[in-house]
Amino acid sequence: MSQEDVDLNSDHKLSNVPTDSISSLKFYPDPNQHAILAGSWDSKASIWQINCQVFPQQGNGFNTPNNSQSRANITSNPVHQSDFQSPVLSVCWQRGQQKYFAGTCDGSVFMRDVNSQNSQLIGKHNGGCKEVVWDPNLQVLFTGGWDCKLYLWDIRNSKKKRLRMNSYLSIWKRNSALFSR
């Protein structure tokens, strides 16, 4: 576990970081739990639990977290790391679950259960899976790949219904807000 008392304008270094570039970074969608999920080019997905207590300095009449004199006690703990067969291009959380999705450079789309460490292959693109986005309203997973296709996966049944939409441009980046209602 890494712990330090830091100035809010300085860096906090995580332990057990990937050995290659991070390609995707997502914060856990619950405001009461602070975790970071990262996918990286070393074919790993990693999760860190983050705890932060802000201590505003007294004296200038302002007690806000944005005060440049504020200090924080930050702790981070690596809680999960999974190896994949190919670099991880995109990750996202399944809201309300201890599960996440990962899209890899070989086009595979996985769902990983953090508690059981079980991994399930959801499907595959013909090129790298550049983006995975979970829609909590529809309870479906959207994936976009270098094969110029957008898939919609219904993971609630074993048939894994999918909707394939051809695109003339590769999917480079999509925001989850695009798919939310």
Side-chain angles (χ1 to χ4, degrees):
M1 179 183 313
S2 173
Q3 179 175 347
E4 57 188 281
D5 191 27
V6 297
D7 181 332
L8 289 179
N9 294 322
S10 67
D11 295 332
H12 172 77
K13 294 180 183 175
L14 299 173
S15 58
N16 295 345
V17 296
T19 58
D20 205 340
S21 299
I22 291 176
S23 53
S24 183
L25 185 69
K26 298 294 187 290
F27 289 93
Y28 193 72
D30 183 342
N32 297 319
Q33 294 183 11
H34 305 286
I36 298 173
L37 168 63
S40 54
W41 279 92
D42 61 358
S43 303
K44 293 184 183 345
S46 307
I47 300 174
W48 297 269
Q49 186 72 38
I50 308 295
N51 297 304
C52 179
Q53 288 183 292
V54 178
F55 304 104
Q57 296 289 338
Q58 302 289 329
N60 65 357
F62 297 102
N63 292 326
T64 65
N66 294 330
N67 181 345
S68 63
Q69 300 299 314
S70 294
R71 300 195 61 76
N73 181 22
I74 298 174
T75 59
S76 61
N77 186 26
V79 294
H80 174 82
Q81 192 170 69
S82 292
D83 292 314
F84 292 89
Q85 296 295 317
S86 180
V88 179
L89 298 177
S90 183
V91 292
C92 73
W93 295 99
Q94 182 181 9
R95 185 171 292 184
Q97 304 287 326
Q98 289 296 310
K99 297 177 183 177
Y100 67 88
F101 298 99
T104 64
C105 207
D106 68 1
S108 300
V109 179
F110 292 96
M111 179 173 64
R112 172 75 77 164
D113 186 314
V114 176
N115 295 328
S116 70
Q117 300 291 318
N118 289 333
S119 187
Q120 177 184 354
L121 178 66
I122 301 295
K124 195 164 174 126
H125 281 266
N126 289 328
C129 179
K130 174 57 185 97
E131 199 65 33
V132 291
V133 177
W134 175 252
D135 186 318
N137 296 323
L138 298 175
Q139 298 289 300
V140 295
L141 178 69
F142 290 91
T143 63
W146 290 341
D147 58 0
C148 302
K149 292 181 175 65
L150 174 69
Y151 289 125
L152 178 146
W153 307 90
D154 183 352
I155 63 165
R156 294 172 289 191
N157 61 44
S158 60
K159 294 182 181 180
K160 296 179 187 58
K161 297 176 186 176
R162 63 183 184 179
L163 168 69
R164 186 178 81 189
M165 297 173 21
N166 291 329
S167 168
Y168 295 104
L169 299 174
S170 291
I171 310 260
W172 294 104
K173 181 67 181 157
R174 295 289 186 246
N175 188 323
S176 60
L178 176 67
F179 299 113
S180 297
R181 291 183 174 184

Short mmCIF file of all heavy atoms in Angstrom, two decimals, residues 90-144:
data_model
loop_
_atom_site.label_atom_id
_atom_site.label_comp_id
_atom_site.label_asym_id
_atom_site.label_seq_id
_atom_site.Cartn_x
_atom_site.Cartn_y
_atom_site.Cartn_z
N SER A 90 -9.08 -0.88 -24.40
CA SER A 90 -10.18 -0.16 -23.76
C SER A 90 -10.73 -0.98 -22.60
O SER A 90 -10.78 -2.21 -22.67
CB SER A 90 -11.28 0.12 -24.78
OG SER A 90 -12.32 0.87 -24.19
N VAL A 91 -11.15 -0.27 -21.55
CA VAL A 91 -11.79 -0.91 -20.40
C VAL A 91 -12.97 -0.06 -19.96
O VAL A 91 -13.02 1.14 -20.21
CB VAL A 91 -10.81 -1.06 -19.20
CG1 VAL A 91 -9.72 -2.08 -19.51
CG2 VAL A 91 -10.22 0.28 -18.79
N CYS A 92 -13.95 -0.70 -19.31
CA CYS A 92 -15.04 0.02 -18.68
C CYS A 92 -15.65 -0.85 -17.59
O CYS A 92 -15.54 -2.08 -17.63
CB CYS A 92 -16.11 0.47 -19.68
SG CYS A 92 -17.15 -0.84 -20.33
N TRP A 93 -16.24 -0.22 -16.60
CA TRP A 93 -16.90 -0.92 -15.50
C TRP A 93 -18.31 -1.32 -15.90
O TRP A 93 -18.97 -0.60 -16.65
CB TRP A 93 -17.01 0.00 -14.29
CG TRP A 93 -15.72 0.40 -13.68
CD1 TRP A 93 -15.06 1.58 -13.88
CD2 TRP A 93 -14.94 -0.32 -12.74
NE1 TRP A 93 -13.92 1.62 -13.14
CE2 TRP A 93 -13.82 0.45 -12.42
CE3 TRP A 93 -15.08 -1.57 -12.14
CZ2 TRP A 93 -12.85 0.04 -11.52
CZ3 TRP A 93 -14.12 -1.98 -11.25
CH2 TRP A 93 -13.01 -1.19 -10.94
N GLN A 94 -18.80 -2.42 -15.36
CA GLN A 94 -20.22 -2.74 -15.42
C GLN A 94 -20.81 -2.17 -14.15
O GLN A 94 -20.56 -2.69 -13.06
CB GLN A 94 -20.48 -4.24 -15.52
CG GLN A 94 -21.96 -4.55 -15.64
CD GLN A 94 -22.24 -6.04 -15.72
OE1 GLN A 94 -21.38 -6.87 -15.52
NE2 GLN A 94 -23.49 -6.36 -16.00
N ARG A 95 -21.55 -1.09 -14.27
CA ARG A 95 -22.06 -0.35 -13.12
C ARG A 95 -22.87 -1.26 -12.20
O ARG A 95 -23.68 -2.04 -12.62
CB ARG A 95 -22.92 0.81 -13.58
CG ARG A 95 -23.38 1.69 -12.43
CD ARG A 95 -24.02 2.92 -12.93
NE ARG A 95 -22.98 3.72 -13.57
CZ ARG A 95 -23.20 4.92 -14.06
NH1 ARG A 95 -24.39 5.45 -14.00
NH2 ARG A 95 -22.23 5.59 -14.63
N GLY A 96 -22.61 -1.13 -10.89
CA GLY A 96 -23.34 -1.89 -9.89
C GLY A 96 -22.81 -3.29 -9.69
O GLY A 96 -23.33 -4.04 -8.89
N GLN A 97 -21.78 -3.66 -10.40
CA GLN A 97 -21.20 -5.00 -10.31
C GLN A 97 -19.70 -4.88 -10.04
O GLN A 97 -19.10 -3.85 -10.31
CB GLN A 97 -21.41 -5.77 -11.62
CG GLN A 97 -22.83 -5.89 -12.06
CD GLN A 97 -23.62 -6.86 -11.20
OE1 GLN A 97 -23.09 -7.84 -10.73
NE2 GLN A 97 -24.89 -6.56 -10.99
N GLN A 98 -19.12 -5.92 -9.55
CA GLN A 98 -17.67 -5.98 -9.42
C GLN A 98 -17.10 -6.65 -10.68
O GLN A 98 -16.34 -7.60 -10.61
CB GLN A 98 -17.28 -6.76 -8.16
CG GLN A 98 -17.58 -6.02 -6.89
CD GLN A 98 -16.75 -4.75 -6.79
OE1 GLN A 98 -15.54 -4.74 -6.97
NE2 GLN A 98 -17.42 -3.63 -6.51
N LYS A 99 -17.53 -6.13 -11.83
CA LYS A 99 -17.11 -6.67 -13.12
C LYS A 99 -16.67 -5.52 -14.02
O LYS A 99 -17.11 -4.39 -13.85
CB LYS A 99 -18.25 -7.42 -13.79
CG LYS A 99 -18.72 -8.63 -13.02
CD LYS A 99 -19.89 -9.30 -13.70
CE LYS A 99 -20.37 -10.46 -12.86
NZ LYS A 99 -21.54 -11.11 -13.43
N TYR A 100 -15.83 -5.86 -14.97
CA TYR A 100 -15.44 -4.88 -15.98
C TYR A 100 -15.31 -5.57 -17.33
O TYR A 100 -15.25 -6.79 -17.42
CB TYR A 100 -14.14 -4.15 -15.59
CG TYR A 100 -12.91 -5.01 -15.56
CD1 TYR A 100 -12.14 -5.20 -16.70
CD2 TYR A 100 -12.49 -5.62 -14.38
CE1 TYR A 100 -11.00 -5.97 -16.67
CE2 TYR A 100 -11.35 -6.39 -14.35
CZ TYR A 100 -10.61 -6.56 -15.49
OH TYR A 100 -9.48 -7.33 -15.46
N PHE A 101 -15.28 -4.75 -18.37
CA PHE A 101 -15.11 -5.23 -19.73
C PHE A 101 -13.78 -4.75 -20.26
O PHE A 101 -13.31 -3.67 -19.89
CB PHE A 101 -16.24 -4.71 -20.63
CG PHE A 101 -17.60 -5.18 -20.20
CD1 PHE A 101 -18.42 -4.35 -19.45
CD2 PHE A 101 -18.06 -6.44 -20.53
CE1 PHE A 101 -19.67 -4.77 -19.04
CE2 PHE A 101 -19.32 -6.87 -20.12
CZ PHE A 101 -20.12 -6.02 -19.37
N ALA A 102 -13.19 -5.55 -21.15
CA ALA A 102 -11.91 -5.17 -21.76
C ALA A 102 -11.95 -5.52 -23.24
O ALA A 102 -12.41 -6.60 -23.62
CB ALA A 102 -10.76 -5.89 -21.08
N GLY A 103 -11.49 -4.59 -24.07
CA GLY A 103 -11.32 -4.82 -25.50
C GLY A 103 -9.84 -4.86 -25.81
O GLY A 103 -9.08 -4.01 -25.34
N THR A 104 -9.42 -5.86 -26.57
CA THR A 104 -7.99 -6.06 -26.80
C THR A 104 -7.59 -5.82 -28.25
O THR A 104 -8.43 -5.73 -29.14
CB THR A 104 -7.57 -7.48 -26.37
OG1 THR A 104 -8.24 -8.43 -27.21
CG2 THR A 104 -7.91 -7.75 -24.92
N CYS A 105 -6.30 -5.76 -28.45
CA CYS A 105 -5.73 -5.46 -29.76
C CYS A 105 -6.03 -6.55 -30.79
O CYS A 105 -6.09 -6.28 -31.98
CB CYS A 105 -4.22 -5.28 -29.61
SG CYS A 105 -3.47 -4.22 -30.83
N ASP A 106 -6.25 -7.80 -30.33
CA ASP A 106 -6.59 -8.87 -31.28
C ASP A 106 -8.09 -8.92 -31.58
O ASP A 106 -8.55 -9.80 -32.28
CB ASP A 106 -6.09 -10.23 -30.78
CG ASP A 106 -6.81 -10.74 -29.55
OD1 ASP A 106 -7.74 -10.06 -29.05
OD2 ASP A 106 -6.46 -11.84 -29.09
N GLY A 107 -8.86 -7.95 -31.03
CA GLY A 107 -10.29 -7.84 -31.31
C GLY A 107 -11.19 -8.50 -30.29
O GLY A 107 -12.41 -8.37 -30.37
N SER A 108 -10.62 -9.21 -29.32
CA SER A 108 -11.44 -9.90 -28.31
C SER A 108 -12.09 -8.94 -27.34
O SER A 108 -11.51 -7.91 -26.99
CB SER A 108 -10.57 -10.89 -27.53
OG SER A 108 -10.02 -11.84 -28.39
N VAL A 109 -13.30 -9.30 -26.92
CA VAL A 109 -14.04 -8.52 -25.92
C VAL A 109 -14.32 -9.46 -24.75
O VAL A 109 -14.95 -10.50 -24.92
CB VAL A 109 -15.38 -8.00 -26.50
CG1 VAL A 109 -16.14 -7.22 -25.44
CG2 VAL A 109 -15.13 -7.14 -27.73
N PHE A 110 -13.82 -9.09 -23.57
CA PHE A 110 -13.94 -9.92 -22.38
C PHE A 110 -14.75 -9.23 -21.29
O PHE A 110 -14.74 -8.01 -21.19
CB PHE A 110 -12.56 -10.23 -21.79
CG PHE A 110 -11.71 -11.10 -22.64
CD1 PHE A 110 -10.77 -10.55 -23.49
CD2 PHE A 110 -11.83 -12.48 -22.59
CE1 PHE A 110 -9.96 -11.36 -24.28
CE2 PHE A 110 -11.03 -13.30 -23.37
CZ PHE A 110 -10.10 -12.73 -24.22
N MET A 111 -15.41 -10.06 -20.46
CA MET A 111 -16.00 -9.60 -19.21
C MET A 111 -15.24 -10.32 -18.10
O MET A 111 -15.10 -11.55 -18.14
CB MET A 111 -17.49 -9.92 -19.11
CG MET A 111 -18.11 -9.45 -17.80
SD MET A 111 -19.92 -9.63 -17.74
CE MET A 111 -20.10 -11.40 -17.84
N ARG A 112 -14.75 -9.56 -17.12
CA ARG A 112 -13.96 -10.13 -16.03
C ARG A 112 -14.66 -9.84 -14.71
O ARG A 112 -15.05 -8.72 -14.44
CB ARG A 112 -12.57 -9.52 -16.03
CG ARG A 112 -11.72 -9.88 -14.84
CD ARG A 112 -11.18 -11.28 -14.91
NE ARG A 112 -10.08 -11.34 -15.83
CZ ARG A 112 -9.21 -12.35 -15.88
NH1 ARG A 112 -9.33 -13.35 -15.06
NH2 ARG A 112 -8.25 -12.35 -16.75
N ASP A 113 -14.84 -10.88 -13.89
CA ASP A 113 -15.38 -10.74 -12.55
C ASP A 113 -14.21 -10.57 -11.60
O ASP A 113 -13.34 -11.44 -11.50
CB ASP A 113 -16.19 -11.99 -12.17
CG ASP A 113 -16.91 -11.86 -10.85
OD1 ASP A 113 -16.29 -11.41 -9.87
OD2 ASP A 113 -18.09 -12.22 -10.79
N VAL A 114 -14.16 -9.43 -10.91
CA VAL A 114 -13.04 -9.11 -10.04
C VAL A 114 -12.97 -10.07 -8.85
O VAL A 114 -11.89 -10.49 -8.45
CB VAL A 114 -13.12 -7.64 -9.55
CG1 VAL A 114 -12.01 -7.32 -8.57
CG2 VAL A 114 -13.08 -6.69 -10.74
N ASN A 115 -14.12 -10.42 -8.28
CA ASN A 115 -14.14 -11.28 -7.09
C ASN A 115 -13.72 -12.71 -7.40
O ASN A 115 -12.90 -13.29 -6.70
CB ASN A 115 -15.51 -11.26 -6.43
CG ASN A 115 -15.86 -9.89 -5.90
OD1 ASN A 115 -14.99 -9.14 -5.47
ND2 ASN A 115 -17.13 -9.54 -5.94
N SER A 116 -14.28 -13.30 -8.43
CA SER A 116 -14.00 -14.71 -8.74
C SER A 116 -12.78 -14.88 -9.65
O SER A 116 -12.30 -15.99 -9.82
CB SER A 116 -15.21 -15.35 -9.40
OG SER A 116 -15.39 -14.84 -10.71
N GLN A 117 -12.32 -13.81 -10.27
CA GLN A 117 -11.21 -13.83 -11.24
C GLN A 117 -11.58 -14.59 -12.52
O GLN A 117 -10.70 -14.89 -13.33
CB GLN A 117 -9.95 -14.45 -10.62
CG GLN A 117 -9.43 -13.73 -9.40
CD GLN A 117 -8.85 -12.37 -9.75
OE1 GLN A 117 -8.15 -12.22 -10.74
NE2 GLN A 117 -9.14 -11.37 -8.94
N ASN A 118 -12.87 -14.88 -12.71
CA ASN A 118 -13.31 -15.56 -13.93
C ASN A 118 -13.40 -14.56 -15.08
O ASN A 118 -13.82 -13.43 -14.90
CB ASN A 118 -14.66 -16.22 -13.73
CG ASN A 118 -14.58 -17.42 -12.81
OD1 ASN A 118 -13.55 -18.06 -12.72
ND2 ASN A 118 -15.68 -17.72 -12.14
N SER A 119 -13.02 -15.03 -16.25
CA SER A 119 -13.08 -14.22 -17.45
C SER A 119 -13.95 -14.92 -18.47
O SER A 119 -13.89 -16.14 -18.62
CB SER A 119 -11.67 -14.02 -18.00
OG SER A 119 -11.68 -13.11 -19.06
N GLN A 120 -14.78 -14.14 -19.17
CA GLN A 120 -15.68 -14.69 -20.18
C GLN A 120 -15.47 -13.94 -21.48
O GLN A 120 -15.51 -12.71 -21.51
CB GLN A 120 -17.12 -14.55 -19.71
CG GLN A 120 -18.14 -15.01 -20.70
CD GLN A 120 -19.57 -14.75 -20.23
OE1 GLN A 120 -19.80 -14.32 -19.11
NE2 GLN A 120 -20.52 -15.01 -21.09
N LEU A 121 -15.25 -14.68 -22.57
CA LEU A 121 -15.14 -14.06 -23.88
C LEU A 121 -16.56 -13.72 -24.35
O LEU A 121 -17.40 -14.60 -24.50
CB LEU A 121 -14.47 -15.01 -24.88
CG LEU A 121 -14.34 -14.49 -26.31
CD1 LEU A 121 -13.41 -13.29 -26.36
CD2 LEU A 121 -13.85 -15.60 -27.22
N ILE A 122 -16.82 -12.43 -24.55
CA ILE A 122 -18.13 -11.96 -25.01
C ILE A 122 -18.24 -12.09 -26.52
O ILE A 122 -19.27 -12.47 -27.05
CB ILE A 122 -18.36 -10.49 -24.59
CG1 ILE A 122 -18.29 -10.32 -23.08
CG2 ILE A 122 -19.67 -9.95 -25.15
CD1 ILE A 122 -19.38 -11.03 -22.32
N GLY A 123 -17.19 -11.76 -27.22
CA GLY A 123 -17.20 -11.81 -28.68
C GLY A 123 -15.90 -11.29 -29.23
O GLY A 123 -14.93 -11.09 -28.49
N LYS A 124 -15.90 -11.03 -30.53
CA LYS A 124 -14.66 -10.64 -31.17
C LYS A 124 -14.92 -9.75 -32.38
O LYS A 124 -15.87 -9.97 -33.12
CB LYS A 124 -13.90 -11.89 -31.58
CG LYS A 124 -12.47 -11.66 -31.93
CD LYS A 124 -11.71 -12.97 -31.94
CE LYS A 124 -10.32 -12.68 -32.43
NZ LYS A 124 -9.28 -13.12 -31.60
N HIS A 125 -14.05 -8.76 -32.55
CA HIS A 125 -14.01 -7.94 -33.75
C HIS A 125 -12.98 -8.55 -34.69
O HIS A 125 -12.11 -9.32 -34.27
CB HIS A 125 -13.60 -6.51 -33.41
CG HIS A 125 -14.70 -5.67 -32.85
ND1 HIS A 125 -15.49 -4.86 -33.62
CD2 HIS A 125 -15.14 -5.52 -31.57
CE1 HIS A 125 -16.36 -4.23 -32.85
NE2 HIS A 125 -16.17 -4.62 -31.60
N ASN A 126 -13.02 -8.17 -35.98
CA ASN A 126 -12.03 -8.64 -36.95
C ASN A 126 -10.74 -7.83 -36.89
O ASN A 126 -9.77 -8.17 -37.54
CB ASN A 126 -12.60 -8.62 -38.37
CG ASN A 126 -13.63 -9.70 -38.54
OD1 ASN A 126 -13.56 -10.76 -37.93
ND2 ASN A 126 -14.63 -9.43 -39.37
N GLY A 127 -10.76 -6.73 -36.16
CA GLY A 127 -9.58 -5.92 -35.90
C GLY A 127 -9.58 -5.58 -34.42
O GLY A 127 -10.45 -6.05 -33.67
N GLY A 128 -8.65 -4.80 -33.98
CA GLY A 128 -8.59 -4.43 -32.57
C GLY A 128 -9.90 -3.84 -32.05
O GLY A 128 -10.59 -3.13 -32.77
N CYS A 129 -10.26 -4.16 -30.83
CA CYS A 129 -11.46 -3.58 -30.20
C CYS A 129 -11.03 -2.30 -29.50
O CYS A 129 -10.47 -2.34 -28.40
CB CYS A 129 -12.09 -4.56 -29.21
SG CYS A 129 -13.54 -3.86 -28.38
N LYS A 130 -11.28 -1.18 -30.12
CA LYS A 130 -10.78 0.10 -29.63
C LYS A 130 -11.59 0.67 -28.49
O LYS A 130 -11.08 1.41 -27.66
CB LYS A 130 -10.75 1.10 -30.80
CG LYS A 130 -10.40 2.52 -30.42
CD LYS A 130 -9.05 2.59 -29.72
CE LYS A 130 -8.71 3.96 -29.22
NZ LYS A 130 -9.01 4.21 -27.84
N GLU A 131 -12.88 0.36 -28.40
CA GLU A 131 -13.71 0.99 -27.36
C GLU A 131 -14.75 0.01 -26.84
O GLU A 131 -15.39 -0.70 -27.61
CB GLU A 131 -14.40 2.23 -27.93
CG GLU A 131 -14.89 3.20 -26.90
CD GLU A 131 -13.79 3.84 -26.08
OE1 GLU A 131 -12.68 4.06 -26.60
OE2 GLU A 131 -14.03 4.10 -24.89
N VAL A 132 -14.89 -0.03 -25.51
CA VAL A 132 -15.97 -0.77 -24.85
C VAL A 132 -16.71 0.22 -23.95
O VAL A 132 -16.09 0.97 -23.21
CB VAL A 132 -15.45 -1.98 -24.02
CG1 VAL A 132 -14.91 -3.05 -24.93
CG2 VAL A 132 -14.41 -1.57 -23.01
N VAL A 133 -18.05 0.23 -24.06
CA VAL A 133 -18.87 1.16 -23.29
C VAL A 133 -20.09 0.41 -22.77
O VAL A 133 -20.87 -0.13 -23.56
CB VAL A 133 -19.33 2.37 -24.15
CG1 VAL A 133 -20.24 3.29 -23.34
CG2 VAL A 133 -18.14 3.13 -24.70
N TRP A 134 -20.26 0.37 -21.46
CA TRP A 134 -21.41 -0.26 -20.83
C TRP A 134 -22.52 0.77 -20.68
O TRP A 134 -22.28 1.86 -20.15
CB TRP A 134 -21.04 -0.83 -19.48
CG TRP A 134 -22.20 -1.39 -18.72
CD1 TRP A 134 -22.79 -0.84 -17.61
CD2 TRP A 134 -22.94 -2.57 -19.00
NE1 TRP A 134 -23.84 -1.62 -17.19
CE2 TRP A 134 -23.95 -2.70 -18.04
CE3 TRP A 134 -22.84 -3.54 -19.99
CZ2 TRP A 134 -24.85 -3.74 -18.03
CZ3 TRP A 134 -23.73 -4.59 -19.98
CH2 TRP A 134 -24.73 -4.69 -19.01
N ASP A 135 -23.73 0.44 -21.14
CA ASP A 135 -24.87 1.33 -20.95
C ASP A 135 -25.73 0.76 -19.83
O ASP A 135 -26.39 -0.27 -20.01
CB ASP A 135 -25.69 1.43 -22.24
CG ASP A 135 -26.80 2.47 -22.12
OD1 ASP A 135 -27.47 2.52 -21.06
OD2 ASP A 135 -27.00 3.22 -23.08
N PRO A 136 -25.73 1.41 -18.64
CA PRO A 136 -26.48 0.87 -17.50
C PRO A 136 -28.00 0.96 -17.69
O PRO A 136 -28.74 0.19 -17.09
CB PRO A 136 -26.03 1.72 -16.32
CG PRO A 136 -25.55 2.99 -16.93
CD PRO A 136 -25.02 2.63 -18.29
N ASN A 137 -28.46 1.86 -18.53
CA ASN A 137 -29.90 1.99 -18.77
C ASN A 137 -30.43 0.85 -19.63
O ASN A 137 -31.46 0.27 -19.34
CB ASN A 137 -30.22 3.33 -19.44
CG ASN A 137 -29.87 4.50 -18.53
OD1 ASN A 137 -30.04 4.42 -17.32
ND2 ASN A 137 -29.36 5.56 -19.12
N LEU A 138 -29.74 0.53 -20.70
CA LEU A 138 -30.16 -0.54 -21.60
C LEU A 138 -29.62 -1.91 -21.18
O LEU A 138 -30.08 -2.92 -21.69
CB LEU A 138 -29.68 -0.24 -23.02
CG LEU A 138 -30.24 1.02 -23.67
CD1 LEU A 138 -29.60 1.24 -25.04
CD2 LEU A 138 -31.75 0.93 -23.79
N GLN A 139 -28.64 -1.92 -20.28
CA GLN A 139 -27.98 -3.16 -19.84
C GLN A 139 -27.35 -3.90 -21.01
O GLN A 139 -27.48 -5.12 -21.15
CB GLN A 139 -28.98 -4.07 -19.10
CG GLN A 139 -29.53 -3.46 -17.82
CD GLN A 139 -28.48 -3.40 -16.73
OE1 GLN A 139 -27.96 -4.40 -16.31
NE2 GLN A 139 -28.17 -2.20 -16.27
N VAL A 140 -26.66 -3.14 -21.86
CA VAL A 140 -25.96 -3.71 -23.00
C VAL A 140 -24.56 -3.12 -23.09
O VAL A 140 -24.27 -2.07 -22.53
CB VAL A 140 -26.71 -3.47 -24.34
CG1 VAL A 140 -28.04 -4.19 -24.35
CG2 VAL A 140 -26.88 -1.99 -24.60
N LEU A 141 -23.71 -3.82 -23.81
CA LEU A 141 -22.34 -3.38 -24.03
C LEU A 141 -22.19 -2.97 -25.49
O LEU A 141 -22.58 -3.71 -26.39
CB LEU A 141 -21.37 -4.54 -23.71
CG LEU A 141 -19.89 -4.24 -23.93
CD1 LEU A 141 -19.39 -3.23 -22.91
CD2 LEU A 141 -19.09 -5.53 -23.88
N PHE A 142 -21.64 -1.80 -25.71
CA PHE A 142 -21.30 -1.33 -27.05
C PHE A 142 -19.80 -1.50 -27.24
O PHE A 142 -19.03 -1.19 -26.33
CB PHE A 142 -21.64 0.15 -27.24
CG PHE A 142 -23.11 0.44 -27.28
CD1 PHE A 142 -23.80 0.75 -26.13
CD2 PHE A 142 -23.80 0.44 -28.49
CE1 PHE A 142 -25.16 1.04 -26.15
CE2 PHE A 142 -25.15 0.71 -28.53
CZ PHE A 142 -25.83 1.02 -27.36
N THR A 143 -19.39 -2.00 -28.41
CA THR A 143 -17.97 -2.07 -28.71
C THR A 143 -17.75 -1.53 -30.12
O THR A 143 -18.58 -1.69 -31.01
CB THR A 143 -17.44 -3.52 -28.64
OG1 THR A 143 -18.08 -4.33 -29.62
CG2 THR A 143 -17.63 -4.10 -27.26
N GLY A 144 -16.63 -0.86 -30.29
CA GLY A 144 -16.24 -0.34 -31.59
C GLY A 144 -14.84 -0.80 -31.90
O GLY A 144 -13.97 -0.83 -31.02
#
